[in-house]
């Protein structure tokens, strides 16, 4: 009589909600810093209050993400070993150094803006005078590296079909851009004098709307590629679009991309707009951005290793 031995293999979920929160807040902080720094070279005087509040807020969002990450670790106080014993082959070590250096330079940059009390009449020369310019450039380059790193981090985990695709990596990079733009625009609805706030953030919302449609197009490309791929890729697409369909279609795509994309495209043509509606749409972008981060991270671990 043949004997069949069955092994009950449990597929553990190692990265859960706290890691998703780290990717969300860390990516949003980096995107916020890059957007604020970019504005120092475009319409500087007009956006001075927005640049100041964005530059000060950005490093603290990254710190908040790191707090969530450290709380997920079993021995969070041993994180220093990644810094004092670096390994070129360790992707986690790359992230530790990149985020650590970014925090140092972005906090110095934030302090420079905090002590600067000049009004909106300041010129580009004043805003980028002295060490502020090169410190900002170093932090910006580190921020770009972190954005690419967040997209690359999951792709090096071999055997996870959901993560082994260029579209997933590109989506991760797009998410830190749109959440950063949304966060800075949201701060702009409160920063500076109340009169003229809408006109100051309207151009930002135009750029955000374009980025939202690009992100949606990338998701649809992902669906097309995975829906007609191998058995593993089809299973990954099924997990994402059917098992977690309400979160994927309803929150990540409809609420986080389509609704605000249409809303911003319509609002940008108007001279006077209620900022309450703008804030609601911006919060929808952030909610959808977190849902996308969580889906990519969590659903990617549900499929057995291949």
């Amino acid at each position: 009589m043949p004997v069949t031995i069955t092994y009950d293999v449990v597929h553990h979920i190692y990265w859960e909600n706290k890691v998703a929160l780290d990717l969300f807040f860390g990516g949003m902080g980096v995107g916020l810093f890059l957007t604020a720094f970019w504005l120092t070279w475009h319409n500087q005087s007009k956006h001075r209050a927005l640049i100041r509040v964005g530059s000060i807020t950005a490093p603290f969002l990254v710190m908040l993400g790191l707090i969530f990450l450290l709380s997920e670790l079993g021995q969070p106080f041993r994180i220093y070993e990644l810094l004092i014993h670096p390994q070129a082959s360790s992707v986690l070590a790359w992230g530790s150094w990149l985020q650590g250096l970014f925090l140092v330079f972005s906090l110095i940059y934030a302090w420079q803006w905090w002590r600067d009390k000049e009004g909106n009449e300041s010129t580009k020369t004043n805003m980028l005078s002295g060490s502020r310019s090169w410190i900002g450039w170093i932090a910006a380059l580190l921020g770009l590296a972190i954005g690419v790193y967040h997209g690359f981090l999951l792709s090096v985990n071999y055997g996870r079909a959901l993560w082994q695709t260029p579209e997933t990596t590109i989506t991760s990079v797009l998410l830190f851009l749109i959440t950063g733009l949304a966060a800075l625009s949201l701060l702009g609805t409160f920063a500076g004098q109340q009169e003229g706030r809408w006109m100051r953030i309207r151009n930002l919302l135009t750029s955000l709307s374009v980025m939202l449609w690009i992100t949606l197009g990338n998701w649809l490309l992902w669906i097309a590629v995975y829906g007609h791929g191998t058995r593993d890729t089809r299973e990954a697409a099924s997990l994402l679009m059917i098992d977690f369909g309400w979160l994927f279609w309803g929150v990540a795509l409809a609420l986080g991309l389509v609704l605000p994309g249409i809303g911003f495209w319509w609002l940008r043509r108007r001279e006077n707009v209620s900022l309450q509606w703008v804030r609601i749409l911006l919060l929808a972008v952030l909610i959808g951005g977190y849902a996308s981060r969580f889906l990519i991270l969590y659903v990617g671990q549900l499929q057995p290793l291949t």
Side-chain angles (χ1 to χ4, degrees):
M1 181 177 179
V3 177
T4 301
I5 300 176
T6 303
Y7 294 94
D8 185 13
V9 180
V10 179
H11 302 284
H12 294 284
I13 302 296
Y14 293 103
W15 292 346
E16 298 190 47
N17 188 49
K18 292 179 181 179
V19 179
L21 286 170
D22 167 52
L23 294 174
F24 172 69
F25 283 110
M28 179 168 58
V30 169
L32 178 60
F33 178 88
L34 291 174
T35 307
F37 185 70
W38 175 76
L39 284 177
T40 61
W41 303 90
H42 300 274
N43 297 321
Q44 300 85 4
S45 300
K46 178 180 177 182
H47 294 295
R48 181 180 180 82
L50 193 57
I51 295 168
R52 185 172 186 270
V53 71
S55 300
I56 293 172
T57 306
F60 293 97
L61 288 175
V62 177
M63 290 174 64
L64 180 60
L66 288 174
I67 290 172
F68 281 113
L69 178 62
L70 291 175
S71 66
E72 178 74 7
L73 302 178
Q75 296 179 324
F77 295 106
R78 297 185 63 183
I79 190 67
Y80 69 91
E81 293 189 5
L82 284 174
L83 300 177
I84 64 176
H85 299 295
Q87 295 184 12
S89 60
S90 173
V91 179
L92 290 177
W94 302 353
S96 299
W97 275 99
L98 285 174
Q99 294 188 83
L101 289 172
F102 174 80
L103 272 180
V104 171
F105 285 97
S106 62
L107 282 171
I108 295 173
Y109 192 75
W111 174 73
Q112 290 177 324
W113 275 102
W114 176 260
R115 68 176 184 173
D116 189 348
K117 304 296 183 182
E118 295 181 12
N120 290 334
E121 70 279 1
S122 177
T123 63
K124 175 181 176 180
T125 303
N126 292 330
M127 296 173 69
L128 294 174
S129 60
S131 63
R132 186 183 299 182
S133 178
W134 64 264
I135 288 175
W137 273 112
I138 293 174
L141 292 174
L142 288 168
L144 287 171
I146 291 172
V148 175
Y149 168 79
H150 279 182
F152 180 71
L153 175 64
L154 299 180
S155 66
V156 299
N157 290 269
Y158 297 105
R160 303 291 186 184
L162 181 64
W163 299 343
Q164 301 299 308
T165 170
E167 289 77 21
T168 303
T169 303
I170 293 171
T171 300
S172 297
V173 175
L174 289 172
L175 286 173
F176 93 86
L177 292 175
I178 63 174
T179 52
L181 268 170
L184 187 60
S185 300
L186 185 60
L187 290 172
T189 64
F190 299 98
Q193 298 180 355
Q194 184 172 1
E195 184 179 355
R197 285 177 181 172
W198 164 243
M199 298 303 295
R200 285 194 293 270
I201 67 171
R202 189 166 66 170
N203 290 336
L204 283 180
L205 295 182
T206 300
S207 301
L208 177 57
S209 180
V210 172
M211 294 300 300
L212 291 173
W213 291 115
I214 292 175
T215 305
L216 178 63
N218 187 70
W219 270 121
L220 296 178
L221 177 62
W222 186 97
I223 293 171
V225 170
Y226 266 38
H228 297 84
T230 64
R231 178 181 60 84
D232 292 331
T233 60
R234 291 196 300 271
E235 288 180 357
S238 176
L239 283 170
L240 186 65
M241 294 185 290
I242 298 177
D243 294 45
F244 287 81
W246 67 273
L247 190 59
F248 177 71
W249 296 106
V251 180
L253 267 59
L255 180 66
L257 298 176
V258 177
L259 179 62
I262 295 173
F264 294 143
W265 196 259
W266 180 74
L267 289 175
R268 72 183 184 88
R269 301 174 180 272
R270 302 175 66 87
E271 295 295 330
N272 296 307
V273 172
S274 172
L275 290 181
Q276 295 299 332
W277 289 109
V278 177
R279 291 164 184 158
I280 290 172
L281 289 173
L282 290 170
L283 286 174
V285 173
L286 296 179
I287 293 171
Y290 172 72
S292 296
R293 287 285 193 192
F294 175 80
L295 282 168
I296 293 173
L297 183 73
Y298 187 82
V299 177
Q301 299 172 83
L302 291 179
Q303 192 174 14
L305 290 170
T306 57

